[in-house]
Amino acid sequence: MTTQAMIESDTFQAAFEALDTQSPLHELRSKGFERFRELGFPTRRDEEWRYTNIKPITTTTFKPASGSITKESITPYTLSDTSCHQMVFVNGRFAAELSDVGTLEAGVRLESIATISESSFDMIAPHLGSCAEIEREVFTALNTAFIEDGLFLLVPRDVDLEKPVHVIFITTLGSAAVVTHPRILIVAEENSRATIIETYGSDGDGVCLTNPVTEIIVGENAIIDHYKIEQESEEAYHISSLNVRQHRSSNVTSHNYSFGGRLVRNNLNCALDDEGCEATFNGLTIGHGRQHVDNYLRIDHNKPNCNSWEYYKTVLDDQSRGVFCGRIYVAPDAQKTDAKQTSMNLLLSEEASITTMPQLDIFADDVKCTHGATIGQIEESQLFYLQSRGIDKVAAKTLLIYAFANETIAEIKIEELRTRLERVLLDRLPRGELLQGGL
Amino acid sequence: MTMLEIRNLHASIEGKEILKGIDLVVNAGEVHSIMGPNGSGKSTLARVLAGEACYEVTEGEILFKGKNLLDLEPDERAREGVFMAFQYPVEVPGVSTKYFLKASVNAMRKHRGLDELDAFDFLELIKEKLKLVHMDESLLDRAVNEGFSGGEKKRAEIFQMAMLDPCLGVLDETDSGLDIDALRIVAEGVNKLRGPDRSFILITHYQRLLNYVVPDFVHVLLDGRIVRSGGKELALELEENGYSFINGEINEPVSV
C-alpha cells in the first residue's frame, strides 16, 4: 500500500475502531478492514479504474452519516400506488417507522441485517460475503469492514414473492461529508421468484459517499428481477457493487438506472455457475453538468449453455462523462455460451464524452459472443424530418433523446416505477413536459 | 392568388452550385411537375423549399404566400403550410407514428389558432385520412417509418400530408420505386387532395405518375436551370424523345 493510501485509509481507522466488537458481524468486518488496508484505494494506474478518478473521494474526510428524516422526505422515492414491501434505511440504518413490510408469503424473511444478525446470525452467516469479492474490490472490502445494517431477504424454495421488495436508502446531507455502507443480501432458494428495487436518494444537499454492496444468491430455476435507481444529490459519490451468483437454469434481469450523483461507479459482477442460466443486464445513464458515471460489468460464463445479454444506453450533456466496460469471460469448458453486449451512447454536447470498452475473454471454442458499441449525436436527418412536420427544433430534439433513452424504461414491468422514471427522464430534458403522456 | 414565387434561386451544397437561377411561379390550385434527369437539381429544389440546412442559398428569393420563406426555420415553413414528401422518408425509432402525428398536427393547429384535438377527434381524423392511402390503423403503433416497405413509406408520406392539410405539397420523387398498385394509390391520394386552395409541385424523373395526376404545367430542369416549360403535353413529348431533344448533350431517355 502506498503512503498516500495509508493516510487515506486512516480516516476510516477511527470509524472502524468505534464499531461494536461484540457484534456477530465483527469477524467478517475485521477481514474486510484488513483487506481494505492491504488493497488501498485504486488510482488511474489500475486498469479497472483507468477512466474514473476517485481522488475526490480519497481526499475527502467522511463522517458516519446520522440524523433522521420525515415521511415527506421519502415521498419522491416511494411507490405510493404499488403494493410492495417497503424497507427504508436512513443514513444506513433501518427506519421501521418509514417502512411497511406488509404481509409476506410463508417462510419469507425480510428483515434488516442489524436485526437478523442479532436474532439468527446463522441464517445469514453462510451467505454474507459469499459472492461479494473483498479480494478484488477495495470498495467491497470497505463496505464489508463497516457492515452494520442493510436488507436481508430470503425467499424459500418454490415460493413466488408476489409483491416487489422496495428498499430505499436515504442519506441526510449537510455541511459535513458523510458516508454510508449499505448492504443487501438476497437468497432466492430453488424455484423461487422475487423482484427487488433498490432506490438511492438524498435528503438535502451536500457531499456523501454511498458505498452499497448487494449480493444475490440465485438458486436453481429461481427468477430474480432487480432494479437499481440512483437518484442522489449531484454532489454525491456513489460506488456500488452488485454481485450475482446463479445456479442451474436460473434467470436474472438487472436494470440499472443512473440519474443522480456527481461521481458514480457501478460494479456489476455475475457468475453463471451452472448450466442453463440466463442473465440480462440493462442500463440507462442520463448525465449532465459535471456528472461522471462508470458502469463496469463482468459476466463470468463458468459453465456451458448459458446466455447473457448486456444492453446499456447513455445520454450525456454538458461536460458529463461516461464509462462503460462490459467484460464477458467464457471459461474453457463453457461451450454453447451465447453472450451479447451492446453499448449505445448519445452525446448532446461538444464537451461530453464516453469511453466504451466491450471486452470478450473467450477460452471455449464453440460459443456465440458479439459486442457492439455506437457513439453518436442526434441524427440531423431525423431532426430535419420532425421539423419538416411542424415540430420545433427543441421539441424535436427532446423527442429524439426521449425515444433513445426511453427504450430501457419502457420495458419496466412495474407500471408506477415505469411512469416515475419516465417523469425523471422528462424532467431532465428541455421541454420534457411536452412529452408527458408518453410516445 | 400566387402561392409560391421563386426568383433567380441559386443554391449550393458543400460549395458546389446545384441550382443556377430558378424562376417559378405557382398559383393557388395549380399542379406543377418538375422533370429532369438525375443530377439536374430536382431534389435540391425540394429540399431548399423545405429548408434543409445543408443547402446554402447564395442568391435569389422564395416568397410563399408573400412571406420570405428563406427567413423561416423548417418547422416554421411547415406550420405556414409547406409540406415536402421525402424521397427517402426518415426512420425515427422509438417514436410511434401516432405520437409523432399528434405532436405534428397539434403544432399546426396551435399555429392556426385552433385548439388541440382531443384523443377521439384525433383518431377520427386519422381513420378518415388512412382510407385515402389504403393503410391500416396498425401503422400508428409502429415507430415512424421503421421497418416500413418502400411503398408503405411513400404512402405514409401522402397520409401525413393529408393529416397536416398543407397549402403547398412538394412531392420529391414520391413515385420512384413504387409498383403500379402503390403508384395508383399515391396518385389517387394526391388527386383527392387537389383543390382550389392547394398547390402541388411534383418532382419526378419519369412521366408515368403524370398519367394519373395530370399537371397544369410541366417544367424541365437541366443542370440547375428550368430550360423549358409547357403544359401537360410537354411530359408526353419528353416520354417520346427523352431529354435529348432539349439539350443535345444529354441523351438520357425518359423511360416509361
Side-chain angles (χ1 to χ4, degrees):
Chain A
M1 183 163 63
T2 63
T3 318
Q4 178 65 21
M6 185 86 84
I7 295 163
E8 287 151 7
S9 63
D10 278 350
T11 66
F12 289 101
Q13 182 78 42
F16 183 72
E17 281 166 8
L19 292 171
D20 171 17
T21 53
Q22 298 307 306
S23 163
L25 294 165
H26 207 71
E27 196 188 324
L28 183 62
R29 286 180 194 152
S30 300
K31 279 186 197 160
F33 196 67
E34 198 182 319
R35 189 61 188 149
F36 166 65
R37 296 295 302 254
E38 283 163 12
L39 287 169
F41 283 118
T43 67
R44 293 181 67 180
R45 283 188 297 274
D46 292 280
E47 181 60 30
E48 295 190 357
W49 294 87
R50 240 174 95 191
Y51 299 98
T52 294
N53 183 2
I54 58 159
K55 214 170 166 197
I57 297 174
T58 59
T59 52
T60 302
T61 304
F62 295 98
K63 292 180 175 165
S66 63
S68 60
I69 56 169
T70 59
K71 226 169 180 129
E72 285 69 48
S73 304
I74 61 161
T75 38
Y77 307 109
T78 54
L79 298 170
S80 53
D81 299 332
T82 306
S83 192
C84 56
H85 309 288
Q86 178 174 295
M87 300 277 280
V88 179
F89 292 80
V90 178
N91 296 317
R93 286 297 191 167
F94 182 56
E97 71 285 3
L98 299 172
S99 301
D100 181 8
V101 174
T103 313
L104 296 161
E105 283 83 349
V108 173
R109 300 291 292 261
L110 177 60
E111 291 175 48
S112 84
I113 285 181
T115 308
I116 195 131
S117 63
E118 292 300 331
S119 65
S120 329
F121 183 66
D122 292 351
M123 195 175 260
I124 60 169
H127 304 295
L128 195 62
S130 69
C131 58
E133 278 193 52
I134 63 169
E135 288 309 308
R136 207 162 48 88
E137 287 186 9
V138 64
F139 282 96
T140 298
L142 183 64
N143 171 289
T144 304
F146 289 96
I147 298 178
E148 283 189 276
D149 210 346
L151 175 132
F152 171 65
L153 171 67
L154 170 79
V155 190
R157 186 180 165 154
D158 297 329
V159 170
D160 267 28
L161 188 60
E162 192 205 332
K163 299 174 187 170
V165 172
H166 188 194
V167 52
I168 303 173
F169 291 96
I170 302 273
T171 308
T172 55
L173 304 180
S175 50
V178 293
V179 59
T180 57
H181 305 279
R183 188 83 177 202
I184 296 177
L185 175 63
I186 296 160
V187 180
E189 289 184 354
E190 184 179 343
N191 200 37
S192 64
R193 183 178 69 87
T195 301
I196 303 99
I197 308 160
E198 291 177 32
T199 297
Y200 294 87
S202 306
D203 184 37
D205 289 311
V207 178
C208 68
L209 168 61
T210 306
N211 178 34
V213 170
T214 300
E215 294 178 272
I216 310 180
I217 296 120
V218 191
E220 185 172 332
N221 214 43
I223 302 170
I224 292 289
D225 238 352
H226 179 264
Y227 297 87
K228 175 176 177 284
I229 298 139
E230 159 60 359
Q231 265 187 285
E232 291 180 291
S233 148
E234 287 184 22
E235 290 177 77
Y237 304 125
H238 181 99
I239 313 279
S240 80
S241 153
L242 169 68
N243 304 275
V244 179
R245 187 178 300 285
Q246 288 189 235
H247 294 96
R248 185 179 280 262
S249 303
S250 59
N251 186 312
V252 170
T253 308
S254 146
H255 312 257
N256 176 15
Y257 302 99
S258 292
F259 296 104
R262 166 72 180 80
L263 191 167
V264 175
R265 161 76 170 235
N266 296 306
N267 293 303
L268 299 100
N269 305 307
C270 180
L272 304 171
D273 275 0
D274 209 335
E275 294 195 37
C277 294
E278 185 102 10
T280 306
F281 285 80
N282 293 329
L284 173 66
T285 295
I286 305 288
H288 67 171
R290 299 184 58 80
Q291 288 182 293
H292 177 105
V293 180
D294 178 350
N295 289 307
Y296 207 94
L297 285 77
R298 183 191 161 113
I299 296 176
D300 291 343
H301 282 259
N302 296 324
K303 294 286 171 185
N305 292 307
C306 295
N307 301 331
S308 73
W309 321 99
E310 294 171 28
Y311 194 77
Y312 265 69
K313 284 193 161 186
T314 304
V315 181
L316 299 172
D317 202 353
D318 306 323
Q319 292 99 45
S320 61
R321 288 168 178 275
V323 181
F324 171 82
C325 178
R327 180 160 175 227
I328 293 170
Y329 164 81
V330 182
D333 66 340
Q335 304 295 5
K336 304 289 179 190
T337 288
D338 189 351
K340 184 173 183 184
Q341 50 180 280
T342 307
S343 158
M344 296 173 79
N345 306 284
L346 182 60
L347 301 180
L348 303 177
S349 81
E350 294 278 317
E351 290 162 286
S353 76
I354 176 86
T355 305
T356 176
M357 296 167 288
Q359 289 182 11
L360 301 172
D361 295 334
I362 302 171
F363 298 96
D365 53 17
D366 183 13
V367 300
K368 199 161 90 185
C369 292
T370 59
H371 63 75
T374 60
I375 301 172
Q377 285 94 38
I378 286 184
E379 281 277 342
E380 285 298 326
S381 63
Q382 293 179 346
L383 199 58
F384 176 60
Y385 190 72
L386 295 179
Q387 279 190 275
S388 79
R389 299 303 182 246
I391 301 168
D392 70 72
K393 197 169 187 170
V394 178
K397 264 190 183 170
T398 299
L399 188 59
L400 292 173
I401 300 165
Y402 183 74
F404 174 85
N406 192 53
E407 189 192 2
T408 49
I409 293 177
E411 63 201 23
I412 296 177
K413 294 181 198 109
I414 304 157
E415 192 186 343
E416 191 183 0
L417 184 63
R418 188 175 63 240
T419 35
R420 187 161 73 79
L421 293 192
E422 271 173 3
R423 216 174 308 125
V424 173
L425 170 61
L426 289 173
D427 285 347
R428 291 285 286 269
L429 302 176
R431 310 269 308 273
E433 74 282 358
L434 291 175
L435 300 178
Q436 293 289 3
L439 301 187
Chain B
M1 182 196 120
T2 306
M3 182 71 74
L4 181 77
E5 186 171 0
I6 300 174
R7 291 180 192 152
N8 188 31
L9 182 68
H10 291 251
S12 322
I13 184 164
E14 289 165 0
K16 185 171 187 273
E17 188 170 58
I18 309 287
L19 301 182
K20 300 171 179 172
I22 303 266
D23 292 282
L24 180 68
V25 175
V26 177
N27 292 312
E30 290 176 354
V31 175
H32 290 241
S33 174
I34 295 181
M35 301 183 71
N38 287 331
S40 58
K42 303 187 300 291
S43 281
T44 299
L45 178 60
R47 287 155 177 225
V48 167
L49 284 171
E52 191 163 353
C54 57
Y55 295 96
E56 193 196 350
V57 173
T58 51
E59 213 181 321
E61 59 182 347
I62 305 175
L63 297 173
F64 176 67
K65 294 191 293 186
K67 279 187 187 166
N68 185 353
L69 201 65
L70 297 175
D71 282 349
L72 304 178
E73 290 292 314
D75 50 296
E76 293 172 313
R77 297 181 193 199
R79 292 196 295 271
E80 286 293 331
V82 176
F83 180 95
M84 174 172 82
F86 281 55
Q87 182 177 7
Y88 304 112
V90 179
E91 296 189 7
V92 192
V95 179
S96 78
T97 303
K98 190 183 193 168
Y99 181 87
F100 162 68
L101 282 172
K102 205 169 172 190
S104 178
V105 167
N106 283 331
M108 302 290 183
R109 291 181 65 90
K110 200 176 160 194
H111 181 74
R112 292 169 193 171
L114 300 169
D115 285 341
E116 291 194 356
L117 283 182
D118 65 28
F120 181 80
D121 290 340
F122 178 64
L123 206 62
E124 287 300 300
L125 182 68
I126 282 181
K127 281 181 187 168
E128 180 199 324
K129 303 300 182 192
L130 275 172
K131 278 186 204 149
L132 204 66
V133 287
H134 304 256
M135 289 186 98
D136 190 81
E137 256 180 80
S138 63
L139 158 108
L140 299 173
D141 295 322
R142 295 162 68 184
V144 177
N145 294 322
E146 195 181 40
F148 287 26
S149 71
E152 279 179 318
K153 280 183 184 170
K154 298 296 179 78
R155 277 150 68 191
E157 291 288 286
I158 301 302
F159 163 60
Q160 285 181 29
M161 180 164 73
M163 288 292 293
L164 300 184
D165 195 22
C167 309
L168 174 67
V170 182
L171 276 61
D172 186 8
E173 299 207 23
T174 301
D175 55 328
S176 65
L178 292 184
D179 63 38
I180 194 69
D181 293 332
L183 182 72
R184 280 198 188 113
I185 291 170
V186 162
E188 188 191 330
V190 173
N191 283 331
K192 283 190 179 148
L193 293 171
R194 281 177 86 157
D197 302 320
R198 184 157 20 232
S199 313
F200 286 95
I201 295 178
L202 308 178
I203 288 173
T204 180
H205 187 98
Y206 302 109
Q207 185 273 339
R208 193 188 292 125
L209 175 68
L210 308 182
N211 291 336
Y212 300 96
V213 184
V214 181
D216 300 302
F217 300 95
V218 174
H219 309 275
V220 179
L221 194 63
L222 275 183
D223 192 26
R225 290 183 190 87
I226 290 177
V227 293
R228 218 172 131 184
S229 297
K232 59 178 185 265
E233 63 288 346
L234 179 55
L236 296 169
E237 218 175 305
L238 287 169
E239 186 191 354
E240 279 177 24
N241 304 322
Y243 294 111
S244 55
F245 85 103
I246 291 166
N247 183 336
E249 288 169 15
I250 295 171
N251 287 313
E252 192 181 348
V254 177
S255 11
V256 182

